[in-house]
Amino acid sequence: MALPACAARALGPPLQPERRAPARTTCPRRHSRVEAELAASRPGSVAASVLAGPPRAPKGVFLPGGSRARRWDLGSLCRALLTRGLAALGHSLKHVLGAIFSKIFGPLASVGNMDEKSNKLLLALVMLFLFAVIVLQYVCPGTECQLLRLQAFSSPMPDPYRSEDESSARFVPRYNFSRGDLLRKVDFDIKGDDLIVFLHIQKTGGTTFGRHLVRNIQLEQPCECRVGQKKCTCHRPGKRETWLFSRFSTGWSCGLHADWTELTSCVPAVVDGKRDARLRPSRWRIFQILDAASKDRRGSPNTNPGANSPSSTKARNASKSGKNFHYITILRDPVSRYLSEWRHVQRGATWKASLHVCDGRPPTSEELPSCYTGDDWSGCPLKEFMDCPYNLANNRQVRMLSDLTLVGCYNLSVMPEKQRNKVLLESAKSNLKHMAFFGLTEFQRKTQYLFEKTFNMNFISPFTQYNTTRASSVEINEEIQKRIEGLNFLDMELYSYAKDLFLQRYQFMRQKEHQEARQKRQEQRKFLKGRFLQTHFQSQGQSQNPSQNPNLNANQNVTQNLIQNLTQNSSQNLSHKENRESQKQSTGQEQSDGNTSNGTNDYIGSVEKWR
């Protein structure tokens, strides 16, 4: 039924049914923006709140009542949370560090705006500390850091010659040697006619030392070594003559591993017969040279046992053309050398090319039988190696350093065995003592030092001590070691003699070096004192008037006389020292000089005290 018009106007417009939210058929972002605009336009309207829809929830979160909201980006949420958390942590850390800094440096905080400055300074210190830690870990990643060893700054530098060889600074000498035996100073003239002859004994480290001679010496004209070639060309400056007679310069010109008997007969003939010793003569030519040299020796009066005296040795060290030959060699502990040679023979070494020429001929098969029947002795056990009575490894160092002509070469029937061994040992000791230089494999740095002081030639790089060798890897019991020592009893005696002489020479040269340095400092102080007195009196003379000071001329005369005496004393000391050196070298250093220095007397006295 229709209502009257007045009643309809009074009641107002008819109520409309409640509308639901329309279906979201459009983009959710655009629709939500429209709803927000409607809600903002009618903030108090119920329909606006209805049209705005339920509140939105984060991604993956369900609202109460089972209605599900749209998902948010999880990565953006994590980044936002992490950023706000780090910001809060940094802010808290800033306040904590600021409080600590303010308590420590409180009195300084009153000057100006210290809060901001203190924070910057603290941050700079922290960053510097972190940078230092990073650099330290980069430079020294290990636990044993050289920078952290504070004792290296407090303790003095150790002696390289003592620490490298692990030997005591002082030892008890067993033999008495004269000053001429201990002092070895060769006036080696590389531009003249002097020649170094290297006697290379098997398995003594001679290969390494020979390479040092051609590749590691500071020379005006270094040896020319080509890649792929064992021999080097070692010419004198401005000449086409060699100054070195060794395996790596002239080759095996006198035979493979020629001994003292072969070298002393062959080298002068080879050098006199050929201007260029680099060319190796033929095998037949070597026999001719050695035969001619042996005939000359048999015809000379030096064929008796006294031929091994220092005078005859000095005569053999010079050739007809006036060349001076300086023999050098390297020795090794007999047990280690014997084991090393056994290992080398196991790998197939034979040294069949060795001539063993003595008295102009090689030994016969009866005089020197072979220990094996095949081509080599490879794979032989140690027992078999020791059981061969003709093994040349037994007492090899004594045999190669002695004059074999004194005992009839390799003919064992010339004299009894006991007498033969005694003559060989004494001959080897005498030849070793009168050599220009010898070194020991067990003392590499001391060997380098003595060679440099003897020949006044310096090496480029220092020698290296190898404590691990093939011989050291061989494990033997005490019984086998005693047997090896018994087979090499002559070498054991020679090595003990050589080690004693070697270490005494080293100590003598070191003390002589310290004494010369001390004397040089004293002379420099005297010279500076004289210059000071001279300038002092001259300045006084210029400031005063000669007419007012009648004693000025007398003072000047006294000053001049004092200066002249100081200079004359220093020059006389130097001249006396040079005269003693020249006289000692001209006499061959066989007799001890009566006017020895204080350092020599102290050393000889200390030797007597130790004994």
Side-chain angles (χ1 to χ4, degrees):
M1 181 177 68
L3 294 175
C6 58
R9 285 195 298 269
L11 293 174
L15 294 176
Q16 300 294 333
E18 184 179 357
R19 296 181 180 179
R20 293 184 179 180
R24 295 182 179 180
T25 57
T26 60
C27 179
R29 294 182 180 178
R30 183 178 179 183
H31 193 70
S32 62
R33 191 162 49 248
V34 174
E35 291 178 353
E37 292 176 358
L38 291 175
S41 61
R42 293 182 297 175
S45 175
V46 178
S49 61
V50 173
L51 291 175
R56 291 175 291 179
K59 182 177 180 181
V61 181
F62 294 93
L63 293 175
S67 62
R68 183 174 179 177
R70 68 184 184 89
R71 297 178 180 274
W72 282 13
D73 188 5
L74 184 60
S76 301
L77 179 62
C78 293
R79 285 193 295 271
L81 293 176
L82 182 62
T83 303
R84 292 191 178 185
L86 291 177
L89 181 62
H91 188 69
S92 302
L93 183 63
K94 178 180 178 181
H95 282 285
V96 171
L97 294 177
I100 296 174
F101 186 81
S102 61
K103 288 182 179 181
I104 297 176
F105 302 97
L108 300 177
S110 59
V111 182
N113 189 9
M114 284 297 296
D115 292 335
E116 184 177 358
K117 293 183 179 180
S118 61
N119 292 335
K120 292 182 179 180
L121 180 61
L122 183 62
L123 182 61
L125 293 176
V126 171
M127 294 298 294
L128 182 61
F129 176 75
L130 294 176
F131 178 75
V133 171
I134 294 173
V135 170
L136 182 62
Q137 291 296 326
Y138 176 77
V139 175
C140 183
T143 56
E144 297 179 356
C145 183
Q146 298 294 335
L147 297 177
L148 298 180
R149 294 181 178 179
L150 301 179
Q151 63 270 19
F153 298 97
S154 59
S155 61
M157 292 296 296
D159 188 0
Y161 304 102
R162 177 181 177 183
S163 61
E164 187 259 345
D165 296 322
E166 298 181 357
S167 61
S168 59
R170 297 179 61 178
F171 72 102
V172 180
R174 295 179 53 191
Y175 302 91
N176 291 325
F177 296 103
S178 63
R179 185 175 186 272
D181 296 333
L182 297 179
L183 180 59
R184 274 293 179 268
K185 190 70 174 179
V186 176
D187 189 12
F188 185 74
D189 187 9
I190 193 173
K191 298 181 179 180
D193 296 328
D194 293 349
L195 185 69
I196 295 178
V197 182
F198 180 36
L199 196 159
H200 187 178
I201 303 174
Q202 289 94 319
K203 312 312 297 178
T204 57
T207 301
T208 303
F209 184 77
R211 290 196 181 101
H212 281 302
L213 293 178
V214 297
R215 299 176 182 269
N216 195 26
I217 293 185
Q218 297 178 359
L219 297 174
E220 179 182 352
Q221 182 177 344
C223 297
E224 182 181 354
C225 301
R226 299 181 180 179
V227 180
Q229 295 183 2
K230 293 183 178 180
K231 293 193 300 182
C232 302
T233 304
C234 299
H235 283 162
R236 306 180 190 272
K239 297 181 181 179
R240 295 192 59 83
E241 296 180 359
T242 184
W243 58 269
L244 178 63
F245 196 95
S246 69
R247 168 188 178 183
F248 293 105
S249 58
T250 59
W252 303 112
S253 299
C254 291
L256 179 63
H257 287 286
D259 55 18
W260 191 89
T261 306
E262 294 174 300
L263 287 178
T264 54
S265 301
C266 173
V267 172
V270 169
V271 174
D272 291 339
K274 293 181 177 294
R275 295 186 60 186
D276 192 356
R278 293 182 298 108
L279 301 177
R280 177 181 176 180
S282 62
R283 190 182 183 91
W284 177 250
R285 176 58 181 163
I286 293 176
F287 279 116
Q288 289 181 342
I289 292 172
L290 293 175
D291 182 56
S294 63
K295 290 180 181 179
D296 294 339
R297 290 176 61 183
R298 285 195 298 267
S300 63
N302 289 332
T303 55
N304 50 23
N308 204 43
S309 61
S311 59
S312 62
T313 304
K314 183 180 178 181
R316 293 182 187 181
N317 292 342
S319 64
K320 297 179 180 179
S321 60
K323 295 183 181 296
N324 298 320
F325 303 121
H326 305 283
Y327 290 89
I328 62 175
T329 190
I330 300 292
L331 297 181
R332 187 180 180 183
D333 177 70
V335 177
S336 300
R337 199 213 65 80
Y338 189 84
L339 292 174
S340 180
E341 182 171 347
W342 166 63
R343 293 294 298 271
H344 198 57
V345 170
Q346 269 192 331
R347 297 189 298 270
T350 59
W351 296 297
K352 288 183 178 180
S354 298
L355 301 178
H356 303 296
V357 176
C358 178
D359 204 7
R361 64 175 182 84
T364 62
S365 58
E366 291 79 11
E367 293 175 345
L368 189 60
S370 179
C371 291
Y372 55 91
T373 56
D375 295 335
D376 53 25
W377 207 5
S378 59
C380 70
L382 180 59
K383 186 178 183 305
E384 182 181 351
F385 190 77
M386 294 187 297
D387 290 340
C388 180
Y390 312 106
N391 194 349
L392 292 178
N394 300 336
N395 297 313
R396 180 181 290 276
Q397 298 183 99
V398 170
R399 179 180 56 82
M400 295 189 66
L401 288 175
S402 61
D403 187 1
L404 297 179
T405 59
L406 300 177
V407 295
C409 298
Y410 293 92
N411 188 2
L412 302 180
S413 61
V414 174
M415 61 180 63
E417 182 181 1
K418 186 176 181 180
Q419 183 181 359
R420 175 187 175 89
N421 293 334
K422 182 179 179 181
V423 173
L424 289 177
L425 181 60
E426 293 299 326
S427 176
K429 288 182 178 180
S430 178
N431 292 333
L432 185 69
K433 182 175 65 175
H434 293 98
M435 277 186 174
F437 164 81
F438 74 90
L440 299 181
T441 308
E442 289 75 19
F443 302 94
Q444 290 291 321
R445 296 293 297 274
K446 291 183 175 65
T447 298
Q448 176 184 355
Y449 175 82
L450 288 179
F451 183 89
E452 292 177 346
K453 294 301 180 181
T454 301
F455 290 96
N456 196 19
M457 302 170 70
N458 297 324
F459 290 95
I460 300 174
S461 59
F463 288 8
T464 305
Q465 183 73 40
Y466 295 102
N467 296 323
T468 302
T469 59
R470 292 187 177 95
S472 62
S473 62
V474 179
E475 297 181 359
I476 57 175
N477 53 30
E478 186 177 357
E479 181 181 357
I480 295 179
Q481 182 174 357
K482 288 183 178 179
R483 186 179 178 186
I484 295 175
E485 292 177 357
L487 293 173
N488 298 271
F489 68 99
L490 295 179
D491 278 4
M492 295 293 295
E493 181 66 23
L494 177 65
Y495 184 78
S496 176
Y497 175 86
K499 184 177 179 180
D500 193 278
L501 177 59
F502 179 85
L503 293 179
Q504 287 199 44
R505 281 181 178 178
Y506 169 76
Q507 285 193 351
F508 180 80
M509 294 299 293
R510 293 280 283 183
Q511 291 184 5
K512 185 174 181 293
E513 182 181 7
H514 295 333
Q515 179 189 358
E516 291 177 353
R518 191 185 309 112
Q519 185 177 1
K520 185 177 180 180
R521 290 193 299 267
Q522 292 176 358
E523 292 176 356
Q524 289 178 353
R525 285 195 293 268
K526 289 180 180 179
F527 178 76
L528 294 177
K529 186 177 180 179
R531 291 291 299 273
F532 173 76
L533 292 175
Q534 182 180 6
T535 55
H536 177 69
F537 284 109
Q538 286 180 356
S539 60
Q540 287 185 353
Q542 292 178 0
S543 60
Q544 297 179 359
N545 190 3
S547 60
Q548 297 177 359
N549 190 4
N551 296 326
L552 180 60
N553 295 327
N555 292 332
Q556 290 180 354
N557 294 330
V558 171
T559 304
Q560 292 178 358
N561 293 330
L562 178 62
I563 296 172
Q564 290 179 0
N565 292 330
L566 290 175
T567 54
Q568 288 179 0
N569 290 332
S570 61
S571 62
Q572 287 178 0
N573 291 331
L574 292 176
S575 62
H576 288 325
K577 183 179 178 182
E578 293 177 354
N579 292 331
R580 287 198 300 267
E581 294 287 340
S582 61
Q583 290 177 1
K584 178 176 59 60
Q585 292 179 1
S586 62
T587 56
Q589 301 179 355
E590 277 81 17
Q591 296 180 352
S592 176
D593 189 15
N595 297 325
T596 56
S597 60
N598 294 330
T600 305
N601 295 329
D602 295 340
Y603 180 78
I604 300 298
S606 62
V607 170
E608 296 295 336
K609 183 179 179 181
W610 296 337
R611 292 179 59 86

